[in-house]
Amino acid sequence: AQSVAQPEDQVNVAEGNPLTVKCTYSVSGNPYLFWYVQYPNRGLQFLLKYITGDNLVKGSYGFEAEFNKSQTSFHLKKPSALVSDSALYFCAVREGTGGFKTIFGAGTRLFVKA
Amino acid sequence: GAGVSQSPSNKVTEKGKDVELRCDPISGHTALYWYRQRLGQGLEFLIYFQGNSAPDKSGLPSDRFSAERTGESVSTLTIQRTQQEDSAVYLCASSLDRENTEAFFGQGTRLTVV
């Protein structure tokens, strides 16, 4: 069965600095990996996904993520954080041949200070 | 519709009562998911429907929980004999009938059991 871990409950970063939100996963086959963001009082929004191809995936709002098969990681990154990036971030994994069941991590709260 | 619609947006119910939550997916999305998000926590997988295949019910926490879907449209999540521990936001999502596609989430139903 697939699983996903987000080891940090919270990440604090100063505006303008680079940010990283960590995610590791476990699947029995090829993974499909996703990042979603949840702003206060709003629904979850899709940020980016890795299906196949280039290990560096670019998504919405300047975010990108790097797929590392050997480390089974899919860390979310942004070169320069904005205060408006403060939100709850979820990593999700779906087994490539297991249908549509998608498992989410516990979430990481990102605080960006001005 | 333009997005995933859930109703009601808020529901307060007395302990022991049954509740029914509704989800209208995006038209043409054959995959539909239900998740539970307790306050300050991650998304807990409950169930997903994929087209006409048998649903994956592996995440339902007890036999008090059930869900149905009419064809490829509306889904209802029913909780019988509600308990205070059922208090949470229940999120519905839908996606196209391809494993590599992201899910689109509704705003959720906030259930409070008093």
Side-chain angles (χ1 to χ4, degrees), chain B residues 5 14 17 30 32 35 40 45 48-49 53 56-57 60-61 67 75 109-111 113:
Chain B
S5 177
E14 293 181 350
K17 299 284 189 182
T30 55
L32 185 146
Y35 292 88
F45 169 79
Y48 89 86
F49 299 87
S53 302
D56 182 334
K57 303 180 179 181
L60 295 178
S75 175
T109 294
R110 183 176 299 277
L111 176 65
V113 182

Side-chain angles (χ1 to χ4, degrees), chain A residues 38 44 90 104-105, chain B residues 35-37 41-45 91 105:
Chain A
Q38 187 176 39
L44 272 81
F90 291 97
F104 283 76
Chain B
Y35 292 88
R36 178 169 69 180
Q37 186 178 24
Q41 298 187 20
L43 277 68
E44 177 185 0
F45 169 79
L91 292 166
F105 281 80

Side-chain angles (χ1 to χ4, degrees), chain A residues 32 34 36 38 41-44 46 49 51 88 90 94-107, chain B residues 31 33 35 37 40-43 45 48 50 56 58 91 95-107:
Chain A
Y32 291 163
F34 305 82
Y36 290 82
Q38 187 176 39
N41 300 316
R42 293 169 63 179
L44 272 81
F46 167 76
K49 64 183 176 183
I51 303 301
L88 188 56
F90 291 97
R94 179 186 297 161
E95 287 185 309
T97 56
F100 290 81
K101 181 177 179 179
T102 305
I103 300 300
F104 283 76
Chain B
Y33 325 77
Y35 292 88
Q37 186 178 24
Q41 298 187 20
L43 277 68
F45 169 79
Y48 89 86
Q50 179 186 346
D56 182 334
S58 59
L91 292 166
S95 73
L96 289 169
D97 189 17
R98 290 193 292 274
E99 293 177 335
N100 62 356
T101 57
E102 62 274 20
F104 293 82
F105 281 80
Q107 293 294 315

Side-chain angles (χ1 to χ4, degrees), chain B residues 32-100:
Chain B
L32 185 146
Y33 325 77
W34 284 98
Y35 292 88
R36 178 169 69 180
Q37 186 178 24
R38 290 198 167 105
L39 185 62
Q41 298 187 20
L43 277 68
E44 177 185 0
F45 169 79
L46 297 178
I47 185 171
Y48 89 86
F49 299 87
Q50 179 186 346
N52 295 320
S53 302
D56 182 334
K57 303 180 179 181
S58 59
L60 295 178
S62 77
D63 59 8
R64 295 188 295 106
F65 288 73
S66 63
E68 293 184 350
R69 188 179 186 191
T70 307
E72 295 181 351
S73 59
V74 172
S75 175
T76 55
L77 177 69
T78 302
I79 309 173
Q80 296 178 311
R81 305 181 301 282
T82 52
Q83 304 293 315
Q84 288 185 332
E85 67 208 39
D86 299 334
S87 296
V89 176
Y90 290 82
L91 292 166
C92 176
S94 71
S95 73
L96 289 169
D97 189 17
R98 290 193 292 274
E99 293 177 335
N100 62 356

Side-chain angles (χ1 to χ4, degrees), chain A residues 26-64:
Chain A
S26 175
V27 296
S28 57
N30 291 324
Y32 291 163
L33 296 156
F34 305 82
W35 275 101
Y36 290 82
V37 59
Q38 187 176 39
Y39 296 104
N41 300 316
R42 293 169 63 179
L44 272 81
Q45 298 177 30
F46 167 76
L47 271 182
L48 50 78
K49 64 183 176 183
Y50 172 82
I51 303 301
T52 186
D54 290 340
N55 290 340
L56 186 63
V57 178
K58 294 187 182 296
S60 307
Y61 312 120
F63 283 93
E64 56 190 29

